[in-house]
Amino acid sequence: HLVPAHQLAYSRPRARIAKATAGVQGLEALRRAIHEALPLDDERLLEAQVDVSFLGLTVGDPHLREVRSASGEISRARWRSYVEQAQEMGEVDRSVNPDHVVDDVIALIESLSIGAIITPERVTVDHQLAQTERLLDRIARHDKHTG
């Protein structure tokens, strides 16, 4: 069925993220978590394909939208915790709204996942890693000198 496939495609990266971020916090934890969520290898590309396919099916199905939304909220909470840690550590300015950063992280992951499926010749692993670093750099620099 569709829902178990979706749940598996979300639970596998969650487990990898927990392992990859053990013992690290803040922006490094956020970086490692993003890397686990991006389609950087065949396994993660398959997960992205399942998620993008599932997302398409939510258009006409309120129940599937609820399932996808609930998974998204769990992910949002995890991303937010990394941003808040980074703020506590002084890596991200406290004036930055963590929810805005979470929006940017999710937009990055979703757009790169779609891109890796549709135009893999352009959205390569190197492209994904470079775009992630640009986002993390913007998050770290935001408002630090303009206060």
Side-chain angles (χ1 to χ4, degrees):
H1 195 260
L2 296 171
V3 173
H6 162 77
Q7 290 169 334
L8 184 62
Y10 260 70
S11 67
R12 286 165 46 162
R14 266 203 278 273
R16 284 195 313 269
I17 287 168
K19 186 176 179 182
T21 60
V24 295
Q25 294 185 320
L27 287 181
E28 182 56 27
L30 182 60
R31 173 182 288 108
R32 292 182 186 193
I34 291 170
H35 288 177
E36 293 303 328
L38 287 173
L40 299 177
D41 60 23
D42 289 343
E43 178 183 2
R44 290 177 274 186
L45 181 60
L46 178 60
E47 291 163 359
Q49 290 167 337
V50 169
D51 185 48
V52 170
S53 297
F54 188 86
L55 187 59
L57 297 171
T58 67
V59 173
D61 189 323
H63 172 66
L64 295 182
R65 275 199 302 277
E66 283 181 28
V67 169
R68 178 62 161 65
S69 179
S71 297
E73 286 307 309
I74 293 168
S75 295
R76 286 189 69 85
R78 182 179 58 237
W79 303 126
R80 185 183 172 92
S81 73
Y82 299 138
V83 175
E84 289 172 343
Q85 285 173 355
Q87 287 178 313
E88 291 167 15
M89 296 167 66
E91 295 178 324
V92 174
D93 197 88
R94 290 191 180 273
S95 67
V96 173
N97 183 330
D99 289 319
H100 294 171
V101 175
V102 170
D103 289 342
D104 290 344
V105 168
I106 291 170
L108 175 83
I109 292 166
E110 291 183 350
S111 67
L112 289 176
S113 294
I114 292 167
I117 293 166
I118 304 297
T119 54
E121 66 283 352
R122 184 181 68 79
V123 185
T124 62
V125 168
D126 287 345
H127 176 94
Q128 293 177 59
L129 294 174
Q131 196 161 342
T132 299
E133 289 308 309
R134 288 193 299 273
L135 174 62
L136 292 169
D137 186 54
R138 284 194 305 275
I139 293 167
R141 287 188 297 111
H142 182 82
D143 281 347
K144 276 196 173 168
H145 301 294
T146 58

